[in-house]
Amino acid sequence: MKNPHFKPDRQHHRPGGFQNTYQSFQGKRWHEILRWRWQAWRAGHPRPLQDAIPVVAPDLAFIHANAQAGLAMQPAATWVGHITVLLQLGGLNLLTDPVFSERCFPVQWAGPKRQTPPGLTLQQLPHIDVVLLSHNHYDHMDEASLLALSRQAGGCPLILCPLGHRAWFARRGIHKVVELDWWDEHVLAATERNARIPVTLTPAQHWSARTATDALRSLWGGFAVRSPDCHLFFAGDTAYSKDFTDIRHHFAREHTPEAGGGFDLALLPIGAYEPRWFMKDQHVNPEESVQIFHDIGCKQALAVHWGCFQLTDEALDEPPRALDRALAARGMSRADFVVAAVGATHRIRPRDRLQAARP
Ligand code: ZN
Ligand code: ZN
């Protein structure tokens, strides 16, 4: 099948789909998948949890008051779990990769089951203005959650996604979709309730697949959201690559010290990385995630993509311990790279009010 978006002058475009900039992704072969599963079984992976995954009751009073605050909104990120984060910035409520289902799999009677409940239920969410969808893997693009959001009171959110997803949404009657190529910008227009917010799709080292025959057909990526009160980076699903220094260079002019510095918060994945020989070209480990923190030049990060679905060999509670070791090696701490409880709200220092306070 042809890639209808194919442009021969774009390095990551292929006639039949897309590819990474720095390291081409090769679909794993059956014998590699069997070798991984066999070795994991022999080694007794994944191990049981040593620590319970921290879960707190969401601060619904804050979240809902903030959702209505318009331009006085306090920039904040609430971790719903796994890759799903409620972002409140610039007067808008955004949701990254909404996954509220029990399992991240084509059917709900098999596949990885949730180990922690969503920090907020779909019913507890405020009205969502925008969904940022990173790619079509089942632990990121959850049909039931997207359908529920499309029917929320007040209407379907705007769905921003990489190229190659429009037809999937159209088949489900969802048309409020904007597809972006890497580095394409979509501007959320200013109203009296919200700021003007440019959103750019950024590259990632990953891949896509929904069925046995559609690998690499649709694009994947992350998002750079620049609201006057908060510049936020959402990495999506990614391995380590030079893409992150490219991202820093791309936004350098918006991130000078006079302009308020780098991203105020980065949502960076820290889980689903063992064994390395199998996962290294698709998922970062915590050490690489800390390197991305430095590469993009963010002020603070929030750990995501862990603690919910057992997708790989490391224990579900191992990523924060590995992160602590990686942070200590760089003289950093969890004050820099926040590990939140499921359901917790992380408040972000407002960027514009900081700047206004400059002498
Ligand atoms: Zn993925
Ligand atoms: Zn994932």
Side-chain angles (χ1 to χ4, degrees), residues 42-72:
R42 285 193 48 153
H45 294 309
R47 300 269 153 77
L49 274 68
Q50 294 174 35
D51 307 317
I53 306 296
V55 179
V56 297
D59 188 347
L60 292 176
F62 168 80
I63 290 167
H64 286 275
N66 203 33
Q68 299 298 323
L71 291 167

Side-chain angles (χ1 to χ4, degrees), residues 28-206:
K28 298 288 186 256
R29 283 174 298 227
W30 278 109
H31 68 87
E32 293 174 298
I33 296 169
L34 289 174
R35 187 175 138 216
W36 167 32
R37 299 316 309 156
W38 167 247
Q39 289 178 348
W41 181 78
R42 285 193 48 153
H45 294 309
R47 300 269 153 77
L49 274 68
Q50 294 174 35
D51 307 317
I53 306 296
V55 179
V56 297
D59 188 347
L60 292 176
F62 168 80
I63 290 167
H64 286 275
N66 203 33
Q68 299 298 323
L71 291 167
M73 182 179 264
Q74 155 74 51
T78 301
W79 192 35
V80 177
H82 191 53
I83 194 70
T84 311
V85 178
L86 169 66
L87 298 169
Q88 300 188 295
L89 41 89
L92 294 181
N93 296 282
L94 302 88
L95 202 57
T96 63
D97 291 349
V99 181
F100 293 81
S101 294
E102 262 303 287
R103 294 182 191 263
C104 54
F105 208 61
V107 291
Q108 283 295 309
W109 45 265
K113 197 171 183 301
R114 280 196 102 91
Q115 303 298 310
T116 42
L120 282 111
T121 63
L122 278 161
Q123 296 71 31
Q124 287 174 324
L125 288 175
H127 176 84
I128 299 299
D129 301 294
V130 180
V131 166
L132 303 174
L133 183 75
S134 68
H135 67 303
N136 71 358
H137 283 152
Y138 285 90
D139 65 315
H140 296 254
M141 186 162 114
D142 177 48
E143 180 171 7
S145 302
L146 288 163
L147 284 174
L149 283 163
S150 76
R151 297 179 193 127
Q152 71 177 347
C156 183
L158 172 67
I159 295 167
L160 295 179
C161 57
L163 293 176
H165 292 86
R166 192 190 301 282
W168 186 92
F169 282 106
R171 284 197 295 276
R172 285 153 184 87
I174 301 174
H175 302 285
K176 215 171 152 188
V177 174
V178 173
E179 288 184 317
L180 302 170
D181 198 356
W182 286 350
W183 308 118
D184 281 354
E185 183 179 277
H186 177 82
V187 177
L188 304 170
T191 69
E192 55 201 21
R193 306 265 317 147
N194 68 266
R196 176 185 182 275
I197 306 175
V199 181
T200 301
L201 185 76
T202 54
Q205 165 71 39
H206 200 60

